[in-house]
Amino acid sequence: QVNLVESGGGLVQPGGSLRLSCVNSDVKRRTSPINWYRRAPGEEREWVAGITVDSRHKKYADSVLGRFVISRDNTKNTVYLQMNNLKPEDTATYYCYSPQFDSWGQGTQVTVTG
C-alpha cells in the first residue's frame, strides 16, 4: 500500500471552483495510476475521473465531463482534480485511489451551496 492524502475541499457557491490534491507520500516514491471517487450522503460511491502514470490517458464520468480536469505532477507525487462550474449535486466526500496498490486516501469534503 501507499499513503494517499487528499486536500483542497471546502465550501463553495454554485458556479465556483476548487482544486483537490492527492499527495502520495510513499517513501519509495512509487507512482501509480490514480482515480478520484466521491460519495454523497446516502449515495453509492461514484467514480469521477482517472489518470495514467504518464498522463497520456484521462477519463471522466459523464456527470463531470467538461467541468473537471484531472492532472498530475510526478515530481511532486501529486494528482490534482480541478473542479469548475460546481453544482450542488457535486457535494460529496472526494477520495483518491490507487488501483495498483489498492490504497485509499481519507477523503476531503466538498460542499456546494448558496
Side-chain angles (χ1 to χ4, degrees):
Q1 291 191 327
V2 294
N3 185 31
L4 303 176
V5 180
E6 304 96 334
S7 62
L11 179 65
V12 64
Q13 293 184 341
S17 297
L18 286 173
R19 188 177 78 159
L20 306 184
S21 298
C22 171
V23 178
N24 177 1
S25 60
D26 180 38
V27 295
K28 298 181 180 180
R29 302 183 65 81
R30 293 171 291 180
T31 57
S32 165
I34 291 292
N35 290 308
W36 283 97
Y37 287 82
R38 66 186 181 187
R39 175 172 281 169
E43 301 289 334
E44 296 289 322
R45 184 173 59 203
E46 176 189 18
W47 172 79
V48 175
I51 187 169
T52 53
V53 170
D54 60 6
S55 299
R56 289 182 61 187
H57 301 285
K58 305 174 184 179
K59 292 186 177 181
Y60 301 92
D62 289 344
S63 57
V64 306
L65 188 63
R67 299 188 298 121
F68 290 12
V69 178
I70 190 170
S71 63
R72 68 189 300 155
D73 183 346
N74 288 340
T75 66
K76 298 180 179 179
N77 287 338
T78 302
V79 174
Y80 304 98
L81 186 67
Q82 176 68 42
M83 307 187 296
N84 301 318
N85 190 22
L86 284 161
K87 304 176 181 180
E89 51 264 42
D90 295 317
T91 295
T93 302
Y94 285 71
Y95 302 87
C96 59
Y97 172 68
S98 163
Q100 183 170 344
F101 300 109
D102 191 25
S103 298
W104 292 90
Q106 84 290 346
T108 185
Q109 177 66 38
V110 171
T111 302
V112 185
T113 186

